[in-house]
Amino acid sequence: MTRVLEAVGLAVGRGKTAVLSGVNLAVEAGERLALVGANGAGKSTLLRALAGLDPVLGGTIRWNGGSLPLGAERVRTLGVLFQTETPSRFSVRELVTLGLGLDGPASPPDRARVDALLERAGLTALAERSCAQLSGGEAQRALLSRALIADPRLLLLDEPTNHLDPARQATLLGWFDRLRGNTAVILATHDLALAATCDRVALLDDGRVSHLGTAVEVLTPENLTRTLGVGVRRLDDPNGGPPLFRVVSA
Amino acid sequence: MKRQALVPALGLSCALVAAIALCAGPSGWRLPWPVTDVITELRAPRVVLAALVGAALAVAGVAMQSLLQNDLADPFVLGLSGGASAGAVTSLAVAPGMPPGPAAAAGALGAAVLVRWLARGPYDPARLLLAGVAVGSIGASATGLVLVLAPSSRLLRASTYWLFGGLGTPAWSSLIAPAVFLFAAVAWMIARAERLDRLSLGPDVAASLGVEVPALQRTVLLLSVALTAVTVSAAGVVGFVGLIAPHAARRLIGQGHRGLIPVAALGGALVVMLADTVARTAFAPREVPVGLVAAAVGGPFFLLQLQRGLR
């Protein structure tokens, strides 16, 4: 089976200066990978390159074994949730429909599909409301729905829980699990507890991927202290759930 | 009103206003029959030009606002009004016998090219807008300098129609090319309406939704500038319509370009036909520039709509 995403010897940066180099990443269908690192470690830069938004400085990225297509095929390959997006005045229904990447009005089956997703995302009552009038959590759900409507094989999320209070974070992650189906996910996050819920974690440090493995292997106090520059204590869940992290002074 | 009824309703309103415009002349109102040369050779082509100018400016305004993700963008925002004014006034001062339309269009195009060059490199709406403001100001100051240094009342009066818009007495044959271009541009944009929808969300979002962003940006910018230059060459700088018609259309039909483009085009045509009728008749036998009338009549109407929306 082809990999959803495969990056080999990747170098990415802003302008011509490499922020990260020698990056090798592969993501299988349904897998969830977290990118963790300090500010400026290159999480967003890497994510933008993986979304095909910026040209890479070196190496190759293959999506489903090939390059990124345009149009409706693009949104079936890859969905993106940006860290910040200026709210538009499209209605929620229009915004989610745009996620289908269509060239023309939506067909009746497409419209039914949008309705079904709006229902699952709890947005049916807000379907005709302008996105500019949504609360932060509602807007995030609408944007997530837009990223998922075409049922992409891979979803890229940049700091999905940023600016959300803990209750909304938990709610968003609940929605997210409910909506994503078998879509593979790569997310960039500062939130170690969120990273710990992922199948694998890539730690970005010193211009490269310094560690790549399961959350338990990678998110060790020693690794985190070295990459984030603070002391971190890990509190493992005796019931086998994802661990919690507590930042202590260095 | 139902959204589907909007385009036919606006079309009917346009036909009605066109009929009124045909009846209205400097010597008062008169039914347009028997059909005379005044109707067929003077008024009718002017009414058609008014509709073309209004529609072109409205469509260019929609394109510019979506391209720059900025509600304040209008067809002239990239320095085009300054360039057009400077071109027209210079032409009137240097070669008073020549029609200044080509020079005005060349000034507008020159300003747009200069702005795009100044804001070259990675696409950045903020830099485009800033360069547009700067180039527009330089053009406006050049216009002022020409008017001050070559002071003749004839130049000043002739210039007014190019600075604030005037439709003159166009020949039928001069309307064919602009009409064909306008219909082609509108058809092209409607065929890509959903891509324009995605482009209006910003280049990154548009790219992530499958749009080939740089190619679309290039063509939309080119079309918008070309539409504006065509209106400038025929009628000078008709302001306000290209800003207000898109906004009014958005309020009526929403953000989707498939409905927005035709509604804005019809709305723009309606406003300029109406404004020109007033411009021709209100101060007869003198004519006032159509852009001034459009702003004077349309401004309060739009503010009223805005107030209603805020409530």
Side-chain angles (χ1 to χ4, degrees), chain A residues 48 51 53 69-72 74-75 78-80 82 85-86 88-90 94-95 98-99 101-105 146, chain B residues 3 71 191-192 194-198 200-201 203-205 207-212 247 250 253-258:
Chain A
R48 284 183 62 85
L53 295 174
L70 290 168
R74 164 76 163 244
V75 291
L78 184 65
V80 185
F82 292 88
E85 185 176 323
T86 315
S88 73
R89 280 174 295 164
F90 283 108
E94 286 170 331
L95 186 84
L98 289 178
L102 301 172
D103 271 331
R146 186 187 69 195
Chain B
R3 284 178 173 200
D71 283 352
R192 286 155 188 80
E194 286 72 22
R195 290 185 210 176
L196 292 171
D197 289 348
R198 287 174 266 161
S200 72
L201 297 171
D204 283 348
V205 177
S208 79
L209 295 177
V211 177
E212 200 182 357
H247 280 295
R250 282 177 210 278
I253 199 163
Q255 304 294 312
H257 286 74
R258 190 162 288 275

Side-chain angles (χ1 to χ4, degrees), chain B residues 55-141:
Chain B
L57 288 173
V59 171
V62 168
M64 233 22 141
Q65 287 171 5
S66 296
L67 191 68
L68 299 169
Q69 293 103 55
N70 192 314
D71 283 352
L72 291 176
D74 79 347
F76 297 103
V77 73
L78 298 185
L80 272 76
S81 54
S85 307
V89 169
T90 307
S91 165
L92 282 166
V94 175
M98 297 254 294
L109 288 174
V113 170
L114 181 62
V115 165
R116 188 66 192 98
W117 179 78
L118 288 169
R120 65 194 176 279
Y123 179 82
D124 180 352
R127 273 182 68 197
L128 271 172
L129 284 169
L130 284 172
V133 169
V135 169
S137 305
I138 294 169
S141 95

Side-chain angles (χ1 to χ4, degrees), chain B residues 169-290:
Chain B
T169 48
W172 278 115
S173 58
S174 70
L175 300 179
I176 296 168
V180 169
F181 178 55
L182 172 65
F183 280 100
V186 165
W188 189 91
M189 282 169 71
I190 290 177
R192 286 155 188 80
E194 286 72 22
R195 290 185 210 176
L196 292 171
D197 289 348
R198 287 174 266 161
L199 189 67
S200 72
L201 297 171
D204 283 348
V205 177
S208 79
L209 295 177
V211 177
E212 200 182 357
V213 173
L216 187 63
Q217 279 173 335
R218 249 195 320 273
T219 318
V220 170
L221 186 66
L222 200 70
L223 273 183
S224 173
V225 167
L227 281 171
T228 310
V230 167
T231 72
V232 160
S233 84
V237 180
V238 182
F240 193 71
V241 178
L243 176 69
I244 292 317
H247 280 295
R250 282 177 210 278
R251 280 169 178 273
L252 285 172
I253 199 163
Q255 304 294 312
H257 286 74
R258 190 162 288 275
L260 181 58
I261 290 169
V263 167
L266 289 170
L270 191 70
V271 168
V272 177
M273 281 194 294
L274 209 56
D276 187 53
T277 308
V278 175
R280 281 192 294 124
T281 55
F283 300 92
R286 290 199 39 192
E287 254 184 41
V288 289
V290 63

Side-chain angles (χ1 to χ4, degrees), chain B residues 8 20 33 55 61 104 113 148 157 164 170 183 228 247 269 294 297 302:
Chain B
I20 292 171
W33 54 78
V113 170
V148 169
R157 176 150 306 170
F164 303 110
F183 280 100
T228 310
H247 280 295
V297 177
F302 183 74

Side-chain angles (χ1 to χ4, degrees), chain A residues 192-197 215-216 219 233-238 240-246:
Chain A
L192 296 174
L194 171 62
T197 65
V216 177
L219 297 177
R233 239 168 69 201
R234 188 165 94 181
L235 310 167
D236 285 307
D237 180 353
L244 293 175
F245 294 86
R246 197 168 140 209

